Amino acid sequence: MNVRVSMYILSLHSFSDNEMEFTMEFFLRHYWNDPRLAFQKSGKLDSIQGNYEMSKLIWTPDTFFGREKESFLYTMTAKNEFLKIDHNGDVMRSQR
């Protein structure tokens, strides 16, 4: 599958010249088309929106950052993730 990725940087901080480290907070968005998820429009319903629980049910890209020292997904009460599936199978997944 052809996956496009966008990164929206929210903040850069905690720079350390000696350790050559910094901290970054960002949204990572993936876009792809999965024809298996296409569905017939019904009235005004032309897309389905969901969260982390829904994204566990479909194929999603496995993105990683080479040479990262440490990372984590932003969570408060649940994983901060948004999923949108359009009627034509276009998928957008956003993670913080």
Side-chain angles (χ1 to χ4, degrees), residues 8 13 15 30 78 80-82 84 94:
Y8 299 91
H13 51 89
F15 292 93
H30 297 90
N80 196 340
E81 186 171 325
F82 175 75
K84 180 181 176 194
S94 179

Side-chain angles (χ1 to χ4, degrees), residues 29-45:
R29 296 205 172 126
H30 297 90
Y31 304 89
W32 71 94
N33 181 277
D34 188 339
R36 300 170 296 178
L37 299 175
F39 60 92
Q40 189 71 28
K41 284 186 184 181
S42 177
K44 292 184 179 184
L45 179 65

Side-chain angles (χ1 to χ4, degrees), residues 15-90:
F15 292 93
S16 170
D17 293 338
N18 294 335
E19 299 295 323
M20 296 178 58
E21 297 176 351
F22 63 92
T23 301
M24 179 169 52
E25 186 176 350
F26 58 90
F27 281 102
L28 188 63
R29 296 205 172 126
H30 297 90
Y31 304 89
W32 71 94
N33 181 277
D34 188 339
R36 300 170 296 178
L37 299 175
F39 60 92
Q40 189 71 28
K41 284 186 184 181
S42 177
K44 292 184 179 184
L45 179 65
D46 63 351
S47 67
I48 299 170
Q49 299 175 1
N51 60 11
Y52 172 72
E53 293 299 322
M54 187 174 172
S55 70
K56 292 190 306 186
L57 302 173
I58 65 170
W59 177 88
T60 56
D62 183 19
T63 303
F64 66 94
F65 295 91
R67 298 183 176 219
E68 56 129 342
K69 183 174 181 181
E70 182 181 0
S71 67
F72 65 92
L73 290 174
Y74 186 81
T75 58
M76 287 186 72
T77 57
K79 289 190 177 185
N80 196 340
E81 186 171 325
F82 175 75
L83 184 73
K84 180 181 176 194
I85 303 171
D86 290 332
H87 71 280
N88 62 355
D90 285 345

